[in-house]
């Protein structure tokens, strides 16, 4: 996110107009060299700079604004438990303590959500800020704060901000965090006061990363340049309801009352959601809707080759270019908690007392997010000394630094967990621009506009104009010059309106409407039973999450909250829609009382892992066409059922071991076939023999797992990756292909050289469980055109015309790929050598000078697990084997004895690079261990290492 500060490796000075910037970066480089080497200022300066920002954790500190003393008790991992006598004191102390450990992270987050990164990191972030200002997260957050949130929530947010600002008072940048010491040599940035809106805005960033199928919507449209509707449908198969069970299996939608009955005697959330009239149909095949949009795919190709459809229209090409321009902008936006909407998953499940050793529920959760340093989560407890109307909280769990309350965890009565639901809450609209307005139902409507000024560290401010449609949709294409040019030159078919001044792309997204999600956080923290939990969940507008529940009275449940749109019949939200036609406007929202839930199901457990929420034949509304395909959820279900078979009982440690399950479901399908392939080359046959007797587990020390995953990667590349358009392929992968249209340069053979355009962790095919399902279906079509691939260029690698020949080619390619990466001796191979985790500071640790990255970053760790395994250490098969998302934390809550619950974080409590608690949990996390999780007063006291008293 900061400017690129890597020094040139050339011997001659470069000629550039950026001399001041280079000089500043050189100063930073010299500074860091001095810090690391202890030169120039001596060892004393080195130690004092690093330690200046370490928090005080013992003794006492006076804080103006407290009404009484607050105790902050930290355990040996630096995890704080806060004790206060009023709600306001509790949240003020939370703000102070989180700022002690994580203020730099908090500061970067608020600059991201408000589109002000350039104020910290200079002109390299101007494009990101323009896009984020166009989305206007902080404007929506301010509207929420001013008009939507309850009076009590506002008081808590104010108290939290007061605590953060009490920490900042009188401190220089280097006394807050080491990163400010480095930034101070490049610009004169100084942290500003914290505001309540800064906290609310973070929910928008969280919602952005968990926004659902927007990326699939873009990808399907981009595929039309190379693939026809049937082929695109092959790559987006229907969800396998008969094999991988949906979350909600009990209960039903009542057509008479228009509500969902999940088994709790009709408990209502009393929601006021607006009913919609359309349900949407289809599975996202990429076909155009009715009504002449001019943007759907038309015709089909006869084979899965790289040749283009003979009926592709120039309108489709124009849309492809527009969407690729949008993708580049989206891909550059810094991630908040996920991989920019891609590949994000999570596991959570709850087992009722009938199946546990304790006789009370056990609840597990491990959200899968981008690895970051520090971890996105901050563990802490918030305790009222005596729970009463004046002080209502006794809760512990995982928080976001910068936001009051607990996001995932438990209180004295209930526990809850979350996974991303994946419901479709975003739609892209193609807008016909005409002068200063846009076409809508045959009339030109004016845009609503506002001017934004972006301040730039070390440079001149930049002004931009943000345009929105009358219903609040921001015009995203204004943020990319290529989109403007393409829109002006786009040729459309006769069914679409005249071009005018060109086309633009606008976004409809539920999170751009003010909501009450911040109210939900506090209500959930206070809830004492299922009814209270459901009422709290009903306030959770965005992001829509799968929420699981358990309580000390041996009840378990699941509920799907959220503001989920309804669409016109025939519009399933799977492709960009024509903004000029009002029939594609959202028709409303699913009423809250109609959303699926489940309470105390007879089977005695509930599993959520991003699979379908409910069978589409049992529910009248379309939630999305792009579920995860249920590989992890079904594996967890199978593990539970194996354990409870014959009246078996599940323990806390059983839940932990399930979280660590490394089984590869795609290996179970493919390995029997791979072992039947006749291999002549002795070196390849030697690798093939690794698969004999393999139990399909992806342990870090497994050579078989390394080879299989290399074969899987090459199967995907040969069968699918090489046939996708360049916009989806990984950067640097160049192929000679048939031209898409006559305007591309061709060589003497009629082929054109196309190079991939996506980052390695975003490209396709990514190897997730959608691709499991694609291959599973094609296994019964051994002569499908998808299995065809040409011979290797300039070598002896054979071409393939059927499935088994392609598998053989993939096994050959995988053998030589691993030989180059791991060596020829297969006895030295291991999955962990390929599958490594690096934890990087998300600002100066990614683009700062090398020595500063050395100071701030940690790793690597060799990991077990893999893509779509329960132990979901994700990797992108198109880009390589490095870990790109992880179980960001793991927890198991024991409702029989809360002090016997267990938890762990990806990194540590501290954001200070040389604190003992920077990554002190990571080794244990990597080994699958969990820490004790103290809750009762006695347990907390027994585990306390340091106590700090905050006094009025």
């Amino acid at each position: 996110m900061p400017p690129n500060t890597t020094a040139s490796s050339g011997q001659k000075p470069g000629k550039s107009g950026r001399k001041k910037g280079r000089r500043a970066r050189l100063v930073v480089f010299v500074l860091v060299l001095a810090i690391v080497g202890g030169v120039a200022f001596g060892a004393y300066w080195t130690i004092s700079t690093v330690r200046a920002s370490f928090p005080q954790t013992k003794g006492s500190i006076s804080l103006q604004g407290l009404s009484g003393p607050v105790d902050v008790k930290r355990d040996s991992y630096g995890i704080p438990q806060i004790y206060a006598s009023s709600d306001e004191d509790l949240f003020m102390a939370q703000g102070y303590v989180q700022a002690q450990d994580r203020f730099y992270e908090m500061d970067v987050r608020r600059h991201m959500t408000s589109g002000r990164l350039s104020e910290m990191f200079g002109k390299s972030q101007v494009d990101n800020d323009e896009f984020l200002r166009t989305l206007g997260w902080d404007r929506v957050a301010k509207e929420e704060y001013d008009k939507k949130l309850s009076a009590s929530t506002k008081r808590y947010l104010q108290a939290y901000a007061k605590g953060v600002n009490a920490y900042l008072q009188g401190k220089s940048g280097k006394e807050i965090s080491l990163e400010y010491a480095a930034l101070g040599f490049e610009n004169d940035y100084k942290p500003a006061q914290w505001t309540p809106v800064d906290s609310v805005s973070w929910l928008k960033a969280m919602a952005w990363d968990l926004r659902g199928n927007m990326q699939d919507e873009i990808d399907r449209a981009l595929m039309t340049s190379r693939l026809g509707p049937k082929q695109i449908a092959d790559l987006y198969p229907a969800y396998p309801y008969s094999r991988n069970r949906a979350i909600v299996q009990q209960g039903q939608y009542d057509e008479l009352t228009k509500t969902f009955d999940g088994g709790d005697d009709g408990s209502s959330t009393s929601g006021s959601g607006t009913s919609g009239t359309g349900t949407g149909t289809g599975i996202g095949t990429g076909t155009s809707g009715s009504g002449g949009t001019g943007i759907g795919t038309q015709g089909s190709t006869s084979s899965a080759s790289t040749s283009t459809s003979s009926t592709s229209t120039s309108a489709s090409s124009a849309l492809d270019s527009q969407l690729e321009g949008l993708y580049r902008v989206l891909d550059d936006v810094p991630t908040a908690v996920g991989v920019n909407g891609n590949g994000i998953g999570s596991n959570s499940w709850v087992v009722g007392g009938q199946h546990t050793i304790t006789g009370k529920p056990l609840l597990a959760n491990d959200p899968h997010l981008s690895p970051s340093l520090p971890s996105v989560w901050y563990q802490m407890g918030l305790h009222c000394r005596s729970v009463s109307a004046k002080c209502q909280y006794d809760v512990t769990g995982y928080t976001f630094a910068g936001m009051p309350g607990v996001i995932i965890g438990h209180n004295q009565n209930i526990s809850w967990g979350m996974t991303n639901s994946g419901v479709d809450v975003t739609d892209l609209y193609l807008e016909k621009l005409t002068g200063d307005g846009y076409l809508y139902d045959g009339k030109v409507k004016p845009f609503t506009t506002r001017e934004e000024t972006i301040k730039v560290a070390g440079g001149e401010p930049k002004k931009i104009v943000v345009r929105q449609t009358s219903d609040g949709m921001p015009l995203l294409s204004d943020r990319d010059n290529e989109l403007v040019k393409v829109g002006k030159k786009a040729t459309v078919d006769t069914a679409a309106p005249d071009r005018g001044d060109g086309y633009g792309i606008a976004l409809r997204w539920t999170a751009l409407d003010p909501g009450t999600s911040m109210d939900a956080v506090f209500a959930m923290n206070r809830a004492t039973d299922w009814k209270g939990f459901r009422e709290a969940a009903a306030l959770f507008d965005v992001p829509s999450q799968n929420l699981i529940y358990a309580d000390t009275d041996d009840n378990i449940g699941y509920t799907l909250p959220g503001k989920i749109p309804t669409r016109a019949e025939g519009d399933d939200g799977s492709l960009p829609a024509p903004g000029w036609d009002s029939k594609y406007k959202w028709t409303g929202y699913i009423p809250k009382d109609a959303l699926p839930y489940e309470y105390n199901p007879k089977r005695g457990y509930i599993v959520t892992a991003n699979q379908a929420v409910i069978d589409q034949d049992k529910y009248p509304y379309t939630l999305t066409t792009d579920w995860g395909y249920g590989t992890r959820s079904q594996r967890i279900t199978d593990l539970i059922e194996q354990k409870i078979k014959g009246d078996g009982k599940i323990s806390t440690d059983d839940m932990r071991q399930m979280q660590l399950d490394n089984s590869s479901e795609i290996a179970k399908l493919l390995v029997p076939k791979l072992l039947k392939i006749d291999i002549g080359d002795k070196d390849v046959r030697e690798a093939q023999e690794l698969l004999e007797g393999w139990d399909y587990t992806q342990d870090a020390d497994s050579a078989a797992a390394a080879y299989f995953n290399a074969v899987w990667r090459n199967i995907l590349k040969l069968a699918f990756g090489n046939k996708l358009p360049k916009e989806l392929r990984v950067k640097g992968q160049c192929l000679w292909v048939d031209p898409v249209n006559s305007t591309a340069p061709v060589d003497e053979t009629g082929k054109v050289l196309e190079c991939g355009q996506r980052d390695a962790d975003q490209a396709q095919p990514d190897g997730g469980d959608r691709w499991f399902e694609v291959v599973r279906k094609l296994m019964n079509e051994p002569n499908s055109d998808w299995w065809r691939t040409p011979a290797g260029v300039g070598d002896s690698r054979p071409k393939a015309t059927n499935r088994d020949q392609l598998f053989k080619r993939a096994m050959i390619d995988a053998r030589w790929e691993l030989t180059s990466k791991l060596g020829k001796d297969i006895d030295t191979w291991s999955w962990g050598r390929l599958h490594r985790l690096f934890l990087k500071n998300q600002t100066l640790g990614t683009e700062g000078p090398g020595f500063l990255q050395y100071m701030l970053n940690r790793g690597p760790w060799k990991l077990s697990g893999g893509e779509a395994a329960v132990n979901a250490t994700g990797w992108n098969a198109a880009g390589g084997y490095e870990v790109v998302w992880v179980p960001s934390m793991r927890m198991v809550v024991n409702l029989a004895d809360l002090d016997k619950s267990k938890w762990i974080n990806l990194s540590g409590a501290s954001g200070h690079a040389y604190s003992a608690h920077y990554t002190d949990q990571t080794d244990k996390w990597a080994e699958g261990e969990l820490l004790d999780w103290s809750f009762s007063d006695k347990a907390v006291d027994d585990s306390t290492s340091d106590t700090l008293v905050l006094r009025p």
Side-chain angles (χ1 to χ4, degrees), residues 864-913:
S864 301
E867 186 66 30
V870 178
N871 186 15
T873 55
W875 56 286
N876 186 300
Y881 304 98
E882 299 289 349
V883 176
V884 296
W885 59 85
V886 294
S888 57
M889 62 80 159
R890 297 187 184 100
M891 75 174 194
V892 179
V893 180
N894 184 329
L895 276 300
D897 185 345
L898 293 169
D899 286 332
K900 292 183 178 178
S901 301
K902 303 285 185 177
W903 63 349
I904 195 106
N905 204 353
L906 172 64
S907 60
S910 180
H912 301 292

Side-chain angles (χ1 to χ4, degrees), residues 687-699:
Q688 181 187 37
E689 290 170 354
L690 289 172
L691 304 179
E692 295 177 359
W694 179 43
D695 62 0
Y696 312 120
T697 60
Q698 300 169 95
D699 295 332

Side-chain angles (χ1 to χ4, degrees), residues 629-888:
Y629 282 78
T631 300
R632 283 179 288 107
S633 62
Q634 193 57 46
R635 176 61 179 169
I636 295 166
T637 297
D638 291 345
L639 290 171
I640 292 171
E641 293 190 343
Q642 290 169 19
K643 198 69 182 177
I644 65 177
K645 185 177 181 180
D647 202 30
K649 303 297 182 183
I650 292 176
S651 68
T652 301
D653 196 60
D654 290 331
M655 300 284 275
R656 179 190 68 85
Q657 291 186 43
M658 291 178 193
Q659 290 178 323
L660 303 178
D661 183 79
N662 295 321
S663 175
S664 169
E665 297 304 298
I666 191 63
K668 295 175 184 178
L669 175 70
L670 294 183
V671 166
K673 296 289 186 184
L674 297 176
L675 288 173
K676 294 179 180 179
I677 303 294
D678 184 18
I679 300 293
D681 186 294
K682 67 179 181 62
D683 292 314
V684 180
R685 188 166 63 251
E686 181 185 37
Q688 181 187 37
E689 290 170 354
L690 289 172
L691 304 179
E692 295 177 359
W694 179 43
D695 62 0
Y696 312 120
T697 60
Q698 300 169 95
D699 295 332
D701 61 359
S702 171
Y707 182 59
F708 172 77
N709 282 319
V711 173
W712 171 237
R713 167 172 147 85
N714 280 278
I715 287 174
L716 292 171
K717 178 181 177 181
L718 294 169
F720 311 106
N722 291 350
K723 298 159 189 172
L724 296 177
K726 62 182 183 297
E727 294 86 357
L728 274 68
R729 297 201 313 270
V730 70
K731 284 180 182 176
Q733 183 197 44
C734 299
L735 301 170
W736 288 102
V737 298
D738 293 330
V740 171
N741 56 55
S742 59
T743 65
V746 298
D747 70 348
E748 65 275 7
T749 67
K751 299 283 187 179
V752 295
L753 185 66
E754 280 191 352
C755 297
Q757 297 178 352
R758 285 213 176 156
D759 289 340
D761 62 352
Q762 304 281 321
Q764 292 292 339
D766 62 16
D769 65 352
R770 172 164 69 89
W771 294 99
F772 289 15
E773 193 64 19
V774 169
V775 170
R776 184 184 297 276
K777 288 183 175 296
L778 288 172
M779 289 294 285
N780 296 322
E781 301 178 42
N783 295 312
S784 167
D785 285 338
W786 286 112
W787 300 125
R788 304 174 73 91
T789 193
V793 178
D795 56 46
S796 60
R797 291 175 298 160
K799 70 176 183 179
T801 59
N802 60 42
R803 181 196 65 200
D804 289 352
Q805 289 178 1
L806 185 138
F807 283 5
K808 181 176 181 178
R809 167 72 177 275
M811 293 172 76
I812 294 170
D813 289 359
R815 179 21 159 150
W816 300 121
E817 180 187 2
L818 293 198
T819 297
S820 67
K821 291 180 180 294
L822 302 179
K824 187 174 182 180
D825 184 359
I826 65 172
D827 290 337
T828 66
W829 290 4
S830 70
W831 176 226
R833 288 181 62 196
L834 292 172
H835 193 53
R836 300 180 302 167
L837 169 67
F838 292 86
L839 290 181
K840 298 181 180 180
N841 179 289
Q842 292 303 290
T843 55
L844 300 180
T846 57
E847 296 184 48
F851 279 105
L852 192 56
Q853 292 187 36
Y854 176 83
M855 293 180 69
L856 298 176
N857 299 340
R858 300 292 183 269
W861 285 267
K862 298 176 181 179
L863 297 188
S864 301
E867 186 66 30
V870 178
N871 186 15
T873 55
W875 56 286
N876 186 300
Y881 304 98
E882 299 289 349
V883 176
V884 296
W885 59 85
V886 294
S888 57

